[in-house]
Amino acid sequence: MAEHDLTPRLARHLDRHLVFPLLESLQERGIYPEEEILAAKLRLLAGTNMVDYAVAIHGSLHGTDEEVPGDMAARRAEVVDRLVKLQQAGPALPPLYAFLRDPQLVQMLRPDKQYNVHMLQERFQIGPDQIEALYDDAKFLFECGSYSDAAAYLYQYRLLSTNSERSVRALWGMLASEILNRNWDAALEELNRLKEIIDAKNFSSPLNQLQNRIWLMHWALFIFFNHENGRNGIIDLFFQDRYLNAIQTNAHHLLRYLAVAVVVNKRRRNMLNELISVIQQEQRSYKDPITEFLECLYVKYDFDSAQQKLMECEQVIMNDPFLGKRIEIGNSITVPLRDEFFENARLFIFETYCRIHQCIDISVLAEKLNMRYSEAELWIMNLVKSLRLDAKIDCVSGSLIMRVNRVDVHEKIIEGLKNLNTRTYMLAQSIVQPAQAAQQAAQGD
């Protein structure tokens, strides 16, 4: 299933720290050889301060008996030395950190950043250089993997800094930190703040704006597939014209996640037609079993191919780091999105099949649904009751008979034209009559 793995495409638009959870997922599922995953982790770690983790990965990859490279050992000593200085307390503590660690002093800060800068300078001899150094220290902590501390430093930096460009970068850092800390509510708040900034008319160039929207959607995947309201969130964001255009321009693979969100979200079925339209437009640029399943079912009405694609969808979902999230319930492990996807996909097949057939052989439908006959019969019976369908099951023939009042399509068109003519006549009368009355009044005068 490596051919359907999106990790290489996703990683291009993620911070390197956000790639680690994806590699952990790939390692757990065994899609690639263990050595390849460990080597990829080691390459990522080369750009961070997580030297102990790098040493451990190096040992796993090359054996614990092999000596740690000299540059890695020197790097570790350098990082530990700076980390100790940064976390120390007492007289050597820089004035800004002494100020921030005193709750009574922090209460002196106001929403007005210019006031804060002048107040800190005049009363505590804390200048702009120390404020900017706070950003550098936050980035250092982030690269060490101390995401909670990094988020706290970046929050304080954004309260004080008047550097608008660095403040936006700090917000990206806060978003990454909250994602890696799995604080989904806080991460969603940072995501919305970033979106507001990116969508502002004065935000950089259109090309940079496009790139930032693509980054935002990729980072948002962590939130949308973990937050309780994420399935609505991804649909609301990805279907906005500017973001949908970004997907169709340079992020076609995100259609997989949008498609799954629409399929499993029963309350947003109204977006299905628009989704199918986009999938058709982008079929030459991107397709996988999930998008192909929807195309086979709703465009080609090819139930045999839809059945085959649905079987392939399971492996795609199970091996995707966002979709294949596993939950342990008692002694069993379940994959909620897989279960919900199949439940709704079978419902899609049933509804579509019933629209074009009046008498349905249950054994044939069971095959389309990838179910045993007894399971399909019970499933259909419950569905007919819950949806209050005008249908009955003939147990003798093993058929589902749809009792639908079918109206000839030409009669529908004629009836629609009659209604249109009536409405047009009434609209014309509402315009003509006042004009005639006004003309008659003018002639009387």
PDB file of all heavy atoms in Angstrom, residues 164-178:
ATOM      1  N   SER A 164       5.895  42.535  13.321  1.00  0.00           N
ATOM      2  CA  SER A 164       4.724  41.835  12.793  1.00  0.00           C
ATOM      3  C   SER A 164       5.095  40.530  12.088  1.00  0.00           C
ATOM      4  O   SER A 164       4.397  39.515  12.222  1.00  0.00           O
ATOM      5  CB  SER A 164       3.943  42.738  11.831  1.00  0.00           C
ATOM      6  OG  SER A 164       4.768  43.167  10.765  1.00  0.00           O
ATOM      7  N   GLU A 165       6.198  40.525  11.342  1.00  0.00           N
ATOM      8  CA  GLU A 165       6.593  39.308  10.613  1.00  0.00           C
ATOM      9  C   GLU A 165       6.953  38.188  11.576  1.00  0.00           C
ATOM     10  O   GLU A 165       6.508  37.050  11.417  1.00  0.00           O
ATOM     11  CB  GLU A 165       7.786  39.617   9.705  1.00  0.00           C
ATOM     12  CG  GLU A 165       8.234  38.404   8.881  1.00  0.00           C
ATOM     13  CD  GLU A 165       9.419  38.724   7.977  1.00  0.00           C
ATOM     14  OE1 GLU A 165       9.736  39.922   7.806  1.00  0.00           O
ATOM     15  OE2 GLU A 165      10.020  37.765   7.454  1.00  0.00           O
ATOM     16  N   ARG A 166       7.733  38.529  12.619  1.00  0.00           N
ATOM     17  CA  ARG A 166       8.116  37.509  13.587  1.00  0.00           C
ATOM     18  C   ARG A 166       6.925  37.064  14.428  1.00  0.00           C
ATOM     19  O   ARG A 166       6.867  35.925  14.880  1.00  0.00           O
ATOM     20  CB  ARG A 166       9.229  38.030  14.497  1.00  0.00           C
ATOM     21  CG  ARG A 166      10.617  37.613  14.039  1.00  0.00           C
ATOM     22  CD  ARG A 166      11.625  37.742  15.145  1.00  0.00           C
ATOM     23  NE  ARG A 166      12.855  37.027  14.838  1.00  0.00           N
ATOM     24  CZ  ARG A 166      13.850  36.883  15.686  1.00  0.00           C
ATOM     25  NH1 ARG A 166      13.761  37.395  16.902  1.00  0.00           N
ATOM     26  NH2 ARG A 166      14.935  36.225  15.345  1.00  0.00           N
ATOM     27  N   SER A 167       5.975  37.960  14.641  1.00  0.00           N
ATOM     28  CA  SER A 167       4.787  37.596  15.416  1.00  0.00           C
ATOM     29  C   SER A 167       3.974  36.525  14.692  1.00  0.00           C
ATOM     30  O   SER A 167       3.414  35.624  15.320  1.00  0.00           O
ATOM     31  CB  SER A 167       3.918  38.830  15.677  1.00  0.00           C
ATOM     32  OG  SER A 167       4.562  39.714  16.579  1.00  0.00           O
ATOM     33  N   VAL A 168       3.907  36.627  13.355  1.00  0.00           N
ATOM     34  CA  VAL A 168       3.202  35.606  12.579  1.00  0.00           C
ATOM     35  C   VAL A 168       3.950  34.288  12.651  1.00  0.00           C
ATOM     36  O   VAL A 168       3.345  33.220  12.828  1.00  0.00           O
ATOM     37  CB  VAL A 168       3.042  36.062  11.110  1.00  0.00           C
ATOM     38  CG1 VAL A 168       2.442  34.939  10.271  1.00  0.00           C
ATOM     39  CG2 VAL A 168       2.154  37.298  11.031  1.00  0.00           C
ATOM     40  N   ARG A 169       5.264  34.337  12.551  1.00  0.00           N
ATOM     41  CA  ARG A 169       6.055  33.113  12.662  1.00  0.00           C
ATOM     42  C   ARG A 169       5.906  32.498  14.049  1.00  0.00           C
ATOM     43  O   ARG A 169       5.867  31.272  14.207  1.00  0.00           O
ATOM     44  CB  ARG A 169       7.514  33.412  12.358  1.00  0.00           C
ATOM     45  CG  ARG A 169       7.763  33.653  10.855  1.00  0.00           C
ATOM     46  CD  ARG A 169       8.998  34.475  10.584  1.00  0.00           C
ATOM     47  NE  ARG A 169      10.214  33.853  11.077  1.00  0.00           N
ATOM     48  CZ  ARG A 169      11.413  34.442  11.060  1.00  0.00           C
ATOM     49  NH1 ARG A 169      11.525  35.672  10.550  1.00  0.00           N
ATOM     50  NH2 ARG A 169      12.464  33.826  11.515  1.00  0.00           N
ATOM     51  N   ALA A 170       5.811  33.352  15.056  1.00  0.00           N
ATOM     52  CA  ALA A 170       5.600  32.860  16.425  1.00  0.00           C
ATOM     53  C   ALA A 170       4.252  32.150  16.539  1.00  0.00           C
ATOM     54  O   ALA A 170       4.122  31.156  17.258  1.00  0.00           O
ATOM     55  CB  ALA A 170       5.677  34.014  17.420  1.00  0.00           C
ATOM     56  N   LEU A 171       3.252  32.657  15.815  1.00  0.00           N
ATOM     57  CA  LEU A 171       1.930  32.034  15.838  1.00  0.00           C
ATOM     58  C   LEU A 171       1.971  30.652  15.196  1.00  0.00           C
ATOM     59  O   LEU A 171       1.318  29.714  15.669  1.00  0.00           O
ATOM     60  CB  LEU A 171       0.922  32.942  15.121  1.00  0.00           C
ATOM     61  CG  LEU A 171      -0.564  32.620  15.299  1.00  0.00           C
ATOM     62  CD1 LEU A 171      -0.920  32.519  16.776  1.00  0.00           C
ATOM     63  CD2 LEU A 171      -1.414  33.689  14.622  1.00  0.00           C
ATOM     64  N   TRP A 172       2.749  30.522  14.125  1.00  0.00           N
ATOM     65  CA  TRP A 172       2.945  29.193  13.525  1.00  0.00           C
ATOM     66  C   TRP A 172       3.607  28.252  14.541  1.00  0.00           C
ATOM     67  O   TRP A 172       3.241  27.072  14.656  1.00  0.00           O
ATOM     68  CB  TRP A 172       3.824  29.282  12.278  1.00  0.00           C
ATOM     69  CG  TRP A 172       3.134  29.740  11.041  1.00  0.00           C
ATOM     70  CD1 TRP A 172       3.210  30.970  10.456  1.00  0.00           C
ATOM     71  CD2 TRP A 172       2.253  28.967  10.199  1.00  0.00           C
ATOM     72  NE1 TRP A 172       2.441  31.012   9.316  1.00  0.00           N
ATOM     73  CE2 TRP A 172       1.846  29.808   9.128  1.00  0.00           C
ATOM     74  CE3 TRP A 172       1.781  27.662  10.247  1.00  0.00           C
ATOM     75  CZ2 TRP A 172       0.984  29.378   8.121  1.00  0.00           C
ATOM     76  CZ3 TRP A 172       0.932  27.226   9.244  1.00  0.00           C
ATOM     77  CH2 TRP A 172       0.537  28.074   8.198  1.00  0.00           C
ATOM     78  N   GLY A 173       4.585  28.781  15.279  1.00  0.00           N
ATOM     79  CA  GLY A 173       5.256  27.977  16.298  1.00  0.00           C
ATOM     80  C   GLY A 173       4.315  27.555  17.406  1.00  0.00           C
ATOM     81  O   GLY A 173       4.384  26.418  17.901  1.00  0.00           O
ATOM     82  N   MET A 174       3.425  28.464  17.806  1.00  0.00           N
ATOM     83  CA  MET A 174       2.435  28.130  18.835  1.00  0.00           C
ATOM     84  C   MET A 174       1.487  27.053  18.336  1.00  0.00           C
ATOM     85  O   MET A 174       1.122  26.132  19.073  1.00  0.00           O
ATOM     86  CB  MET A 174       1.663  29.386  19.240  1.00  0.00           C
ATOM     87  CG  MET A 174       2.488  30.400  20.014  1.00  0.00           C
ATOM     88  SD  MET A 174       1.599  31.952  20.329  1.00  0.00           S
ATOM     89  CE  MET A 174       0.298  31.370  21.418  1.00  0.00           C
ATOM     90  N   LEU A 175       1.072  27.157  17.064  1.00  0.00           N
ATOM     91  CA  LEU A 175       0.184  26.157  16.484  1.00  0.00           C
ATOM     92  C   LEU A 175       0.851  24.781  16.480  1.00  0.00           C
ATOM     93  O   LEU A 175       0.250  23.773  16.901  1.00  0.00           O
ATOM     94  CB  LEU A 175      -0.209  26.559  15.064  1.00  0.00           C
ATOM     95  CG  LEU A 175      -1.029  25.533  14.264  1.00  0.00           C
ATOM     96  CD1 LEU A 175      -2.328  25.188  14.988  1.00  0.00           C
ATOM     97  CD2 LEU A 175      -1.327  26.064  12.856  1.00  0.00           C
ATOM     98  N   ALA A 176       2.110  24.727  16.028  1.00  0.00           N
ATOM     99  CA  ALA A 176       2.829  23.452  16.008  1.00  0.00           C
ATOM    100  C   ALA A 176       2.992  22.887  17.415  1.00  0.00           C
ATOM    101  O   ALA A 176       2.820  21.678  17.633  1.00  0.00           O
ATOM    102  CB  ALA A 176       4.197  23.633  15.349  1.00  0.00           C
ATOM    103  N   SER A 177       3.299  23.754  18.376  1.00  0.00           N
ATOM    104  CA  SER A 177       3.502  23.306  19.761  1.00  0.00           C
ATOM    105  C   SER A 177       2.228  22.714  20.339  1.00  0.00           C
ATOM    106  O   SER A 177       2.253  21.661  20.997  1.00  0.00           O
ATOM    107  CB  SER A 177       3.981  24.478  20.633  1.00  0.00           C
ATOM    108  OG  SER A 177       5.227  24.972  20.193  1.00  0.00           O
ATOM    109  N   GLU A 178       1.099  23.383  20.110  1.00  0.00           N
ATOM    110  CA  GLU A 178      -0.170  22.881  20.650  1.00  0.00           C
ATOM    111  C   GLU A 178      -0.585  21.570  19.969  1.00  0.00           C
ATOM    112  O   GLU A 178      -1.161  20.687  20.602  1.00  0.00           O
ATOM    113  CB  GLU A 178      -1.272  23.933  20.482  1.00  0.00           C
ATOM    114  CG  GLU A 178      -1.023  25.264  21.202  1.00  0.00           C
ATOM    115  CD  GLU A 178      -0.909  25.125  22.711  1.00  0.00           C
ATOM    116  OE1 GLU A 178      -1.044  23.996  23.232  1.00  0.00           O
ATOM    117  OE2 GLU A 178      -0.665  26.134  23.380  1.00  0.00           O
TER     118      GLU A 178
END
